[in-house]
Amino acid sequence: CCSPRKNAILRSRCALSSLGSRNILQNAMVCSDEFCQEITWSKILWPVILIPLIFVLCLTGLLLLLRVTCWRKVDESLIGQDSTASSSGWFEISLFSAQLIGSAVSVMIWVDRTYTHKVTENLRWVEVALSIFYVLPYVYRFKVTGFMYSYPLTTPALIDAFTILPVFAWLLQYTDDNGFEFREASAVPWLSMSHLRVSKCVIAYSFLEATGVLDDVSELKRAYCLVFLKVMSLVIILGGTVIFLEVLGDPAALAYTPVTTEMGELSFVQIFYWIITTITTVGYGDFSPKTVFSQIFVIFCILYGVIFFSIESAAVIDLRFKEDSGKGRFHPQPHGSRHIVLVGGGVTHFSSIVSNLLQELYEREHLEQGSQFPNCVLMGQSPKSSQLQECLDNLPPYARSRVQYFVGSVMHPHDLERIRLSQASLAIVVCDVQTADPDTEDRQNTVRALSMKRHCPDLNIRLLLLRPESKRNAIQVGIRAARCQSVNEMKSSLLAISTRCPGYPTLVANLLHSGTRKRLREEQLPPWGLQYIKGLQNRLAAFCIADHVNGKTWQEFVQIALEKRIVPMAVQVEGHVKLNPESHTFQDRDIVFAIVGDPILLPSVANVEVDWRPIFTERQGKARPQRWSTLWQPASTAPANSNSGAAHSGREGEPEKSKLKRNFTPLLQFSAQDLTRVGDRQGSSNISGGSSDAHQQASPRKVRKSRPVRGDMSKDDIEIMELAAERISEGGGHIILVVLVGSVWQQVHTFIRCCRARHLPYHDPIVVMTPEVPNRTICHDLTEPFENVAMMIGSLFKDSDKDRANVQNASSIILLAGRPLAEDWDMADCVGTMSVVSLEYLGISCPTVLELLNDQSAKLLQLYRPSSLAVAHMNEHEDLHPDEGKLPLSASSLSLLDEDSGQAAIGSAFNHLPRFASGNLFSTSFLGAMCASAYYVPGVFELTEALTMAHCQTSFPWQVRPPRDMGGEPYRVLASWIFKGLREEVDSAELLGIPLGIYRQACKGDKYSTNHVIINPDMDLILESTDCAFVLASERYGQACAASGLFALPSMAQKDESALSSAPLDL
């Protein structure tokens, strides 16, 4: 009934009346009620907000300053310890349980205060006691994370800071009369942030599940508990924060004068809040438009909001799905950091090389050396496997955030742009070592490398292939020889070297690993483990020589470096890595690869101010390709060598060119009686085609074919082949190569070829035991070019086959894993582990090396090799249960061994296992460490290839047994003898040996002792009479050692013939 103007005036009066009533009510609450008494921003700003914030910033800055200025010194005592939590025990379980209960009590105290609006004396001291306890979990988590400077900025640490420090801040107050004194409970404001501790209940419960204490509870019940805690945590944190902000009210800085309209009192914040609730279709209804134009406009706002949020939400979900499924784009974290790219079948199907690479890439030791962690980009053709996801979950948090997996193909330029290949510091094509078709795998990886090179011609790429033939093919299509390596060739070469240098694969693998150098307390180590761990603390380094080294010879430089516990191994000469270049004279900025024991002494021989990496890369790019040389040649065509006493048998009338041991009959040389034995086995005197010429020929003859014959082998061929193997085995001192599963003839051929290398002073006979019958071509290729190599069909599970191979008198036994037949990766090494157990049951004392496909399979073996007494005890009581015998426990019982002896094991890592330390275990996963080291130390690929395959090298690894009277002397005496003592004995100034370390025998009578490798020992280490030395020296050096009887595995020509078939070689 009123006019519009009168209606507006009435509405204004009503609004003013409402505003006045509200102000009167608020003033009454402030003045008369204790609910908001003295609860202001100025009152709680310092104790509740600023003090925790200052503490967090100061602690973070202090840790960051320590890292930048004196990281190394602080690291030795505090920072950079093992980031892996110790085994879950009563302490962890008690700590997490108490934290869960205490946090729940703190939240209940906070809820009680929201109703009582006051702090009582009793509850105040309960809260103080709980806050003192909360410091312990804070320090524990700080230690577990390695005292990283970023930990105080994490959400759990911030919650601790904002809930613990205010409790102590309210304890004291300062007065002008009495100074600091205890504050009364009634003077403490009841409002706090203790409601945030509800999140600690969720964290503590998650840690309790990780300890395994709740394993007996069903997963469904645990899921219910976890969901309940998460829901309560979310509700309490959000609701408590709203209470905290509403009670405090707006600070004075945000005071404003609202605009009175028909909608009510409006401001920008209020209208912003109303628009968000409206277009998101929430609509609380506390505000609504009153004018016609605003109502029409809001209609369009709601429609637009619904469409807008639907489209944008779908786009965000799609992007999130692409990121989770690996179809997004790579963005470096942090911005501008470097990254490496991993592709290939080993990434798609998760090779063990990738797991080892990631672990080595993010070891803290690289930070100590001044390097920065790179981002790692993995690209596969299918979503990441469960094994890869498990590997990523096991990485430390700081490493997990830097690894990203993408789905795509390197054949598509768009996918290469997604991973920013052109900006990558290093790209590695990883092969799948578990594939059933190595030829196809190598061809695909070669094509991948070519596609990446075409997209980025200057890309620093590395190609890992399986077969040596594939490497030659890759070189022919344009991949540089220094950029591609054959995994099987390197593996077979290392296994071949281990037959004359036991423990050498362990030495090479430990040089590439930095994760094995974790600091352990000396009282936790067994006697043998102390020196082994000290050897692991040596690191592989490269550097430019110091200015005062210019013009010095290699021999002079080595002598200076050895005094500083720096062992030079190689130099970059004309762009190529050369081992022990005896005739080299140093020029300006020559780059040396060395084993460094004490980095502090490195500046005495190195120019640490010069970055050697670009210099190395530039010289490598200008180097002329080397021609691939053959490392072996048949003994029948080997050149005569009169300087080596082991190069000939020493008998009159025997040719000096033969490097075979004198007590063995050459392969396939049989008498008429031998051939008659074959005919008797077949029930006929006819050997082939009904001819009886073999029986009519009484003189020895050599059965050779001018060219390989294709087709399957007949029974007669198999009998002749096995007869040759038995003849070789009868003499003892032979090498037994056991193919466990599959037909890996190429690896067998590489192994034999390396054992027949031209630089070796003598060649050991080889018997290849395989479960499958090879065809004629394979048998011809494995036996025809080499002397004293034979094959037999059999298995180590059969006692008759072990007797025919004469395993008791073999010089070494190599168990080649082959290809796994089982789809279950955990069962990949079941044949190998059972074969080792069957050999140890017989008490085999010769060096035995087992190749593992899965590193975790080492836990299936006993931790230590059984001693002779334990084997004898087991043989006498074969009916006893294994638990009743005196055998050592398995590697899965490390904690039980620690309780039993206190010094049984040094760690659960693969490199810490006693069997690996002794050289009895081998795994190709060490190549992952080589790939990771290539990012920090360019040239590691070339150096590893030189140490394993000796391609285009003049120096080779040897294992030398020093004179026994050297026992009890310090290691510096042995190092001096290796470097110049042998030269004086043989009167040759050209012989130069470089000591790499020693191979120490197990202590007799100690069942918890084992053979082990010590890399670059301390000069004051006291030698034992049974110690052997690893030496890097020339061919002439090896010949001189062989002539002097200094090899760790002596030539059979140096042993008594009467003991050849009865006494096994004892290391």
Side-chain angles (χ1 to χ4, degrees):
C1 298
C2 300
S3 62
R5 182 179 179 184
K6 291 183 178 180
N7 288 335
I9 294 174
L10 290 175
R11 283 196 297 268
S12 301
R13 290 177 179 177
C14 292
L16 292 174
S17 176
S18 175
L19 177 60
S21 301
R22 188 185 309 173
N23 292 335
I24 293 173
L25 179 61
Q26 289 180 354
N27 292 333
M29 291 179 60
V30 172
C31 297
S32 61
D33 196 348
E34 296 180 356
F35 183 76
C36 296
Q37 188 174 2
E38 297 183 357
I39 304 295
T40 61
W41 280 100
S42 60
K43 184 72 174 179
I44 69 169
L45 182 62
W46 272 97
V48 179
I49 298 177
L50 292 184
I51 290 180
L53 186 61
I54 293 173
F55 169 79
V56 170
L57 295 178
C58 291
L59 182 59
T60 304
L62 178 62
L63 293 175
L64 186 59
L65 181 64
L66 289 175
R67 179 190 176 190
V68 174
T69 58
C70 52
W71 172 269
R72 190 178 304 278
K73 294 182 180 180
V74 176
D75 175 71
E76 294 176 356
S77 58
L78 188 67
I79 298 178
Q81 297 291 334
D82 187 6
S83 60
T84 304
S86 59
S87 58
S88 301
W90 66 268
F91 176 77
E92 290 82 0
I93 295 174
S94 303
L95 183 67
F96 299 145
S97 301
Q99 186 183 22
L100 191 151
I101 297 173
S103 298
V105 171
S106 297
V107 174
M108 288 188 289
I109 293 175
W110 180 86
V111 173
D112 176 73
R113 290 176 180 174
T114 60
Y115 287 94
T116 62
H117 312 149
K118 61 182 178 180
V119 178
T120 61
E121 193 69 29
N122 294 333
L123 291 181
R124 178 194 185 187
W125 290 109
V126 171
E127 192 174 27
V128 170
L130 289 175
S131 299
I132 295 175
F133 165 74
Y134 294 150
V135 176
L136 183 60
Y138 181 88
V139 176
Y140 176 80
R141 291 301 305 164
F142 202 4
K143 177 181 180 300
V144 168
T145 55
F147 293 96
M148 291 297 294
Y149 64 91
S150 59
Y151 175 75
L153 299 177
T154 60
T155 301
L158 289 175
I159 291 176
D160 282 329
F162 282 90
T163 56
I164 296 175
L165 293 178
V167 175
F168 298 116
W170 288 120
L171 280 178
L172 300 176
Q173 64 179 356
Y174 180 80
T175 60
D176 297 335
D177 298 334
N178 302 324
F180 286 100
E181 61 181 6
F182 280 102
R183 190 191 303 266
E184 296 292 335
S186 58
V188 177
W190 63 269
L191 190 63
S192 67
M193 293 186 179
S194 297
H195 65 284
L196 298 177
R197 290 216 65 87
V198 68
S199 64
K200 287 293 183 178
C201 296
V202 180
I203 297 174
Y205 182 82
S206 301
F207 280 127
L208 282 176
E209 280 195 339
T211 60
V213 70
L214 301 177
D215 288 346
D216 294 336
V217 183
S218 66
E219 294 183 358
L220 183 60
K221 292 181 180 179
R222 283 186 287 166
Y224 284 153
C225 293
L226 186 58
V227 170
F228 172 77
L229 290 176
K230 287 183 177 181
V231 171
M232 294 302 297
S233 175
L234 179 64
V235 172
I236 293 176
I237 289 177
L238 296 180
T241 304
V242 172
I243 292 177
F244 183 85
L245 297 175
E246 287 293 327
V247 170
L248 284 176
D250 293 333
L254 298 180
Y256 65 96
T257 301
V259 178
T260 303
T261 65
E262 294 185 7
M263 289 183 63
E265 300 174 9
L266 299 181
S267 66
F268 174 78
V269 175
Q270 289 173 332
I271 204 65
F272 180 81
Y273 150 79
W274 175 76
I275 284 292
I276 291 295
T277 57
T278 301
I279 65 176
T280 56
T281 67
V282 175
Y284 288 119
D286 49 352
F287 290 97
S288 60
K290 302 299 182 181
T291 64
V292 175
F293 289 108
S294 62
Q295 290 174 346
I296 296 175
F297 178 74
V298 168
I299 293 174
F300 289 100
C301 289
I302 295 174
L303 295 176
Y304 178 79
V306 171
I307 298 174
F308 175 81
F309 279 102
S310 299
I311 296 175
E312 296 301 324
S313 299
V316 172
I317 293 174
D318 183 61
L319 288 176
R320 179 70 185 204
F321 174 76
K322 286 184 177 181
E323 292 287 343
D324 295 340
S325 60
K327 296 181 180 180
R329 298 182 65 87
F330 167 66
H331 299 283
Q333 298 292 335
H335 180 72
S337 57
R338 304 171 68 185
H339 72 284
I340 67 174
V341 175
L342 303 182
V343 298
V347 175
T348 304
H349 304 291
F350 184 67
S351 171
S352 57
I353 296 178
V354 175
S355 174
N356 202 277
L357 187 152
L358 294 176
Q359 294 175 6
E360 174 64 25
L361 189 65
Y362 296 107
E363 282 296 337
R364 295 188 185 277
E365 182 176 327
H366 300 303
L367 291 179
E368 302 171 16
Q369 300 172 10
S371 302
Q372 295 295 327
F373 287 145
N375 292 288
C376 185
V377 178
L378 296 87
M379 173 169 280
Q381 294 182 335
S382 60
K384 55 185 171 185
S385 61
S386 58
Q387 293 177 336
L388 178 58
Q389 183 61 50
E390 182 181 358
C391 173
L392 297 180
D393 293 339
N394 292 332
L395 292 176
Y398 64 86
R400 200 179 310 137
S401 61
R402 292 177 175 268
V403 181
Q404 300 183 39
Y405 183 87
F406 296 92
V407 177
S409 173
V410 296
M411 306 303 296
H412 300 155
H414 172 70
D415 291 333
L416 296 180
E417 293 176 357
R418 286 170 47 211
I419 61 177
R420 301 191 182 190
L421 182 67
S422 58
Q423 303 175 14
S425 302
L426 177 65
I428 304 176
V429 183
V430 184
C431 60
D432 181 12
V433 296
Q434 303 138 20
T435 182
D437 189 357
D439 292 325
T440 302
E441 175 70 13
D442 285 344
R443 283 194 293 267
Q444 293 178 353
N445 285 333
T446 303
V447 173
R448 291 187 179 105
L450 290 175
S451 175
M452 297 168 71
K453 288 290 291 183
R454 181 183 59 183
H455 185 79
C456 303
D458 298 330
L459 180 66
N460 181 17
I461 189 172
R462 300 290 180 171
L463 175 61
L464 292 183
L465 301 171
L466 292 172
R467 298 170 60 88
E469 292 83 355
S470 302
K471 179 177 179 178
R472 289 193 287 269
N473 296 335
I475 295 173
Q476 293 174 359
V477 297
I479 304 296
R480 295 182 55 185
R483 300 292 184 180
C484 54
Q485 280 75 27
S486 169
V487 172
N488 289 341
E489 189 175 19
M490 297 179 71
K491 174 186 68 175
S492 301
S493 300
L494 268 178
L495 293 175
I497 295 175
S498 68
T499 59
R500 67 177 188 273
C501 299
Y504 186 74
T506 298
L507 183 143
V508 174
N510 286 342
L511 281 178
L512 299 174
H513 278 278
S514 62
T516 58
R517 305 175 185 121
K518 301 182 185 299
R519 299 171 182 84
L520 300 173
R521 297 179 180 177
E522 293 186 4
E523 58 269 18
Q524 295 177 343
L525 300 175
W528 67 269
L530 179 59
Q531 294 299 330
Y532 178 70
I533 287 295
K534 287 184 178 180
L536 295 182
Q537 293 175 358
N538 290 272
R539 65 183 180 90
L540 183 63
F543 51 86
C544 286
I545 59 171
D547 295 336
H548 65 84
V549 181
N550 292 337
K552 293 185 180 296
T553 64
W554 171 256
Q555 179 178 342
E556 295 172 343
F557 175 76
V558 172
Q559 185 173 3
I560 297 173
L562 288 178
E563 297 175 355
K564 310 293 183 181
R565 278 199 68 204
I566 299 174
V567 182
M569 293 189 299
V571 181
Q572 188 184 29
V573 180
E574 297 180 354
H576 302 285
V577 176
K578 295 294 183 181
L579 296 176
N580 188 19
E582 299 178 351
S583 60
H584 180 70
T585 300
F586 282 98
Q587 301 176 1
D588 184 32
R589 295 192 175 184
D590 273 350
I591 297 174
V592 177
F593 293 86
I595 303 174
V596 179
D598 189 356
I600 298 178
L601 301 177
L602 189 59
S604 61
V605 296
N607 189 347
V608 294
E609 298 179 357
V610 177
D611 187 4
W612 61 273
R613 295 172 180 83
I615 301 175
F616 177 87
T617 305
E618 180 183 0
R619 293 176 180 175
Q620 188 182 50
K622 297 179 180 179
R624 298 180 58 184
Q626 290 180 321
R627 181 182 177 184
W628 285 88
S629 60
T630 304
L631 301 180
W632 69 276
Q633 62 186 71
S636 59
T637 60
N641 194 344
S642 58
N643 295 329
S644 174
H648 59 85
S649 65
R651 288 185 176 180
E652 248 185 80
E654 289 186 358
E656 294 182 352
K657 64 183 179 181
S658 176
K659 293 187 178 182
L660 299 174
K661 297 175 181 178
R662 61 176 177 170
N663 62 310
F664 297 109
T665 304
L667 177 61
L668 297 182
Q669 279 191 354
F670 305 114
S671 62
Q673 296 177 353
D674 297 329
L675 298 176
T676 303
R677 290 169 54 191
V678 178
D680 293 340
R681 293 183 184 181
Q682 298 295 333
S684 172
S685 61
N686 193 347
I687 297 298
S688 61
S691 173
S692 60
D693 294 341
H695 294 278
Q696 300 174 2
Q697 185 176 2
S699 60
R701 67 185 181 90
K702 181 178 290 188
V703 182
R704 295 288 186 187
K705 291 181 172 61
S706 59
R707 60 174 180 267
V709 180
R710 300 185 181 276
D712 296 334
M713 297 185 66
S714 64
K715 293 183 178 180
D716 294 343
D717 296 332
I718 296 175
E719 288 291 338
I720 294 177
M721 178 184 68
E722 294 194 338
L723 180 59
E726 293 177 12
R727 288 293 302 273
I728 289 179
S729 303
E730 288 175 359
H734 55 295
I735 300 172
I736 301 179
L737 176 62
V738 182
V739 180
L740 297 175
V741 179
S743 303
V744 286
W745 307 121
Q746 175 270 328
Q747 298 181 38
V748 174
H749 184 272
T750 303
F751 177 88
I752 298 174
R753 177 169 56 85
C754 294
C755 290
R756 292 293 182 264
R758 292 181 300 181
H759 67 272
L760 297 179
Y762 60 85
H763 294 154
D764 293 315
I766 302 174
V767 173
V768 180
M769 179 182 290
T770 172
E772 299 182 4
V773 180
N775 57 40
R776 291 175 179 266
T777 304
I778 292 175
C779 185
H780 176 276
D781 293 341
L782 294 179
T783 58
E784 178 70 19
F786 311 101
E787 292 286 352
N788 266 28
V789 176
M791 304 179 66
M792 67 167 50
I793 312 301
S795 171
L796 293 178
F797 296 115
K798 297 181 180 179
D799 293 338
S800 59
D801 294 338
K802 286 186 284 190
D803 292 338
R804 289 193 301 128
N806 195 11
V807 295
Q808 293 282 1
N809 295 322
S811 64
S812 58
I813 302 176
I814 307 297
L815 285 79
L816 200 61
R819 301 190 185 96
L821 298 179
E823 295 182 358
D824 186 2
W825 186 238
D826 295 330
M827 301 297 294
D829 297 307
C830 60
V831 179
T833 54
M834 293 299 297
S835 300
V836 168
V837 172
S838 66
L839 288 175
E840 292 176 348
Y841 181 84
L842 299 177
I844 303 298
S845 60
C846 68
T848 304
V849 183
L850 169 64
E851 180 198 357
L852 294 179
L853 296 173
N854 185 2
D855 293 353
Q856 299 300 321
S857 301
K859 297 180 179 180
L860 304 176
L861 294 170
Q862 296 164 355
L863 190 63
Y864 291 86
R865 293 187 64 178
S867 61
S868 58
L869 295 177
V871 174
H873 178 84
M874 185 174 64
N875 291 337
E876 292 175 2
H877 305 279
E878 294 181 356
D879 56 336
L880 291 179
H881 191 273
D883 294 340
E884 301 175 8
K886 302 298 183 181
L887 292 176
L889 298 175
S890 63
S892 60
S893 306
L894 295 178
S895 59
L896 183 60
L897 281 169
D898 292 338
E899 295 175 2
D900 182 27
S901 65
Q903 292 183 332
I906 63 174
S908 58
F910 182 76
N911 297 68
H912 290 164
L913 295 178
R915 285 182 178 268
F916 179 82
S918 63
N920 297 132
L921 291 181
F922 175 79
S923 174
T924 53
S925 61
F926 85 96
L927 295 176
M930 178 187 69
C931 297
S933 300
Y935 171 78
Y936 300 103
V937 184
V940 165
F941 272 86
E942 294 80 356
L943 180 63
T944 306
E945 192 174 46
L947 291 173
T948 55
M949 295 186 296
H951 166 61
C952 297
Q953 300 296 328
T954 57
S955 292
F956 314 94
W958 309 97
Q959 192 173 95
V960 178
R961 186 186 299 275
R964 290 189 176 272
D965 57 0
M966 202 170 288
E969 298 290 340
Y971 175 72
R972 63 168 49 89
V973 177
L974 175 60
S976 177
W977 178 81
I978 292 174
F979 178 67
K980 58 183 179 181
L982 185 61
R983 288 182 295 164
E984 297 174 356
E985 291 183 10
V986 300
D987 193 19
S988 176
E990 299 179 358
L991 297 182
L992 175 61
I994 298 178
L996 303 179
I998 62 175
Y999 185 72
R1000 175 156 291 183
Q1001 306 293 319
C1003 299
K1004 294 183 179 180
D1006 185 2
K1007 66 177 181 180
Y1008 293 126
S1009 180
T1010 184
N1011 303 347
H1012 56 281
V1013 176
I1014 306 177
I1015 303 174
N1016 189 19
D1018 293 333
M1019 289 298 176
D1020 296 330
L1021 176 68
I1022 302 301
L1023 298 174
E1024 298 180 2
S1025 59
T1026 57
D1027 287 344
C1028 301
F1030 293 102
V1031 181
L1032 191 63
S1034 63
E1035 178 181 358
R1036 290 192 57 197
Y1037 193 100
Q1039 294 171 356
C1041 291
S1044 304
L1046 297 176
F1047 276 156
L1049 291 176
S1051 169
M1052 297 300 294
Q1054 301 166 4
K1055 301 178 68 70
D1056 185 8
E1057 284 191 24
S1058 62
L1060 289 178
S1061 59
S1062 59
L1065 292 177
D1066 186 8
L1067 275 181

